[in-house]
Amino acid sequence: MLSGQQSKSCYYLMYLFMTGLFLGILFVNIRHDVWIKDDGLLNSVMMKQLQNSELDSNYLFGYIVKHRVFAILTVGLIASTIIGLPVICGYVCYLGVSAGCILSIAVVRYGIRGLFFMAASIFPQGFLLIPGYIFLFIWSMDCNRRLYGKYNIPEERYFAGKQFVLQKGIKLLGILILIIIGCVVESYVNPKIIHFVIKIF
């Protein structure tokens, strides 16, 4: 269960992401002639390569885990600094912009097939990764608030000592485990789904 403050953080994060998503869609639709080029993202050559490729799941897992763990630890480190809150908010908005751009490109290029491809690209690992990243950003905002926020209730203040580090560390470890499990699904299950869906292209 999320506390009242954490629930507010969750709504705030959703607002930032949806704002970024809208901006990403807007960017692509305003200048789709720039974004939708023959050699651009999700072009026919790229889709043909995906159809004919055989992914090494072990290599893919190592690549994904390395980058995801690095990103998680970086976010956690930034959250502990005084500039953590604006940086994290900016990063969430950036993720929304990126998602909006890719979604729009897929739809403009392939119509309803593009939606199927995007859905296949994020599931089933999305059931683990999406909550994992939501928990990560809530954790980050809560960590920053506890370290640098002002409190009207004295009991809300944490001591920046062993108890604080232990509690936040255990929660971050749980988030890491959840996201790593998502990486396993993304590496060993998702490629089969994408190969199945991409046959319609």
Side-chain angles (χ1 to χ4, degrees):
M1 294 292 292
L2 297 177
S3 68
Q5 185 63 43
Q6 289 173 335
S7 296
K8 290 180 181 179
S9 297
C10 186
Y11 287 124
Y12 186 56
L13 289 168
M14 289 178 61
Y15 173 77
L16 286 171
F17 182 83
M18 295 305 295
T19 300
L21 186 72
F22 172 77
L23 290 174
I25 294 172
L26 189 64
F27 291 157
V28 173
N29 283 277
I30 288 176
R31 295 297 307 274
H32 65 86
D33 56 322
V34 175
W35 291 86
I36 312 299
K37 295 181 179 179
D38 292 338
D39 59 346
L41 185 65
L42 300 180
N43 59 64
S44 58
V45 174
M46 177 181 174
M47 303 306 285
K48 184 66 68 176
Q49 288 176 340
L50 284 174
Q51 284 178 328
N52 300 325
S53 64
E54 289 291 336
L55 290 176
D56 183 344
S57 294
N58 292 328
Y59 173 81
L60 182 61
F61 175 71
Y63 178 84
I64 291 173
V65 165
K66 181 177 69 174
H67 285 79
R68 292 256 164 83
V69 170
F70 176 78
I72 292 168
L73 295 179
T74 300
V75 169
L77 181 63
I78 291 174
S80 66
T81 68
I82 197 168
I83 63 168
L85 188 59
V87 171
I88 291 165
C89 291
Y91 182 56
V92 172
C93 192
Y94 162 77
L95 291 177
V97 171
S98 300
C101 288
I102 295 173
L103 178 63
S104 293
I105 290 171
V107 171
V108 170
R109 282 191 184 278
Y110 304 108
I112 190 68
R113 295 180 300 163
L115 286 177
F116 283 126
F117 175 75
M118 293 305 300
S121 299
I122 62 175
F123 292 105
Q125 72 271 16
F127 291 115
L128 296 166
L129 295 178
I130 293 173
Y133 278 100
I134 290 173
F135 291 148
L136 173 65
F137 293 130
I138 291 175
W139 177 94
S140 301
M141 295 178 73
D142 184 63
C143 179
N144 188 269
R145 181 179 67 88
R146 302 267 183 191
L147 287 172
Y148 302 105
K150 296 180 179 180
Y151 305 98
N152 295 322
I153 303 174
E155 287 78 8
E156 287 190 352
R157 185 175 297 277
Y158 272 46
F159 293 102
K162 291 182 179 180
Q163 183 180 1
F164 174 79
V165 173
L166 181 62
Q167 184 184 50
K168 303 306 288 185
I170 290 173
K171 288 183 178 180
L172 184 59
L173 179 61
I175 293 168
L176 267 171
I177 292 172
L178 179 62
I179 290 178
I180 289 173
I181 295 172
C183 291
V184 173
V185 176
E186 185 175 7
S187 302
Y188 294 94
V189 178
N190 182 252
K192 295 180 176 62
I193 296 175
I194 290 180
H195 271 169
F196 176 78
V197 172
I198 206 141
K199 292 178 181 177
I200 67 178
F201 286 80

